Amino acid sequence: MIMRILGEGQYEIADEHLTRLNELDSALQSAADAGDEAAFATALSALLDAVRSLGTSLPDDRITPSELVLPDADTSLTQVRELLSDEGLIPG
């Protein structure tokens, strides 16, 4: 799966890592639902860090459609709430 972090770049994520990313996404969803700004910031940071560490960064000159776009670390709780579906940011 190709994921883009806004303002940063694209990462190729192996299917074997999707379970871990979904766990982090669930924590993000819970924090957003609770309106807990501190937990939200921590959860978003953890999710983005996991994408960076588990994924392989794609070169900037490689143009590939992203299957999933994640907000950057400075995105507010209110803005992310608008992006969340019933499945969070990451479907599955």
Side-chain angles (χ1 to χ4, degrees):
M1 171 181 277
I2 305 296
M3 294 184 181
R4 173 177 296 283
I5 298 175
L6 287 176
E8 186 171 320
Q10 291 180 301
Y11 296 84
E12 186 168 10
I13 306 292
D15 289 343
E16 65 197 50
H17 298 303
L18 293 178
T19 299
R20 176 65 183 140
L21 294 178
N22 275 309
E23 291 168 357
L24 294 168
D25 187 40
S26 292
L28 179 78
Q29 177 84 45
S30 295
D33 288 347
D36 185 335
E37 294 272 352
F40 164 78
T42 299
L44 180 57
S45 179
L47 177 60
L48 297 179
D49 287 346
V51 169
R52 291 181 196 108
S53 66
L54 297 173
T56 302
S57 181
L58 298 180
D60 291 336
D61 62 350
R62 180 176 166 194
I63 299 174
T64 305
S66 299
E67 297 169 68
L68 183 67
V69 178
L70 298 173
D72 64 31
D74 295 329
T75 305
S76 72
L77 172 59
T78 302
Q79 291 168 319
V80 170
R81 277 186 173 156
E82 294 172 10
L83 300 173
L84 291 171
S85 70
D86 291 339
E87 294 184 333
L89 292 173
I90 302 173

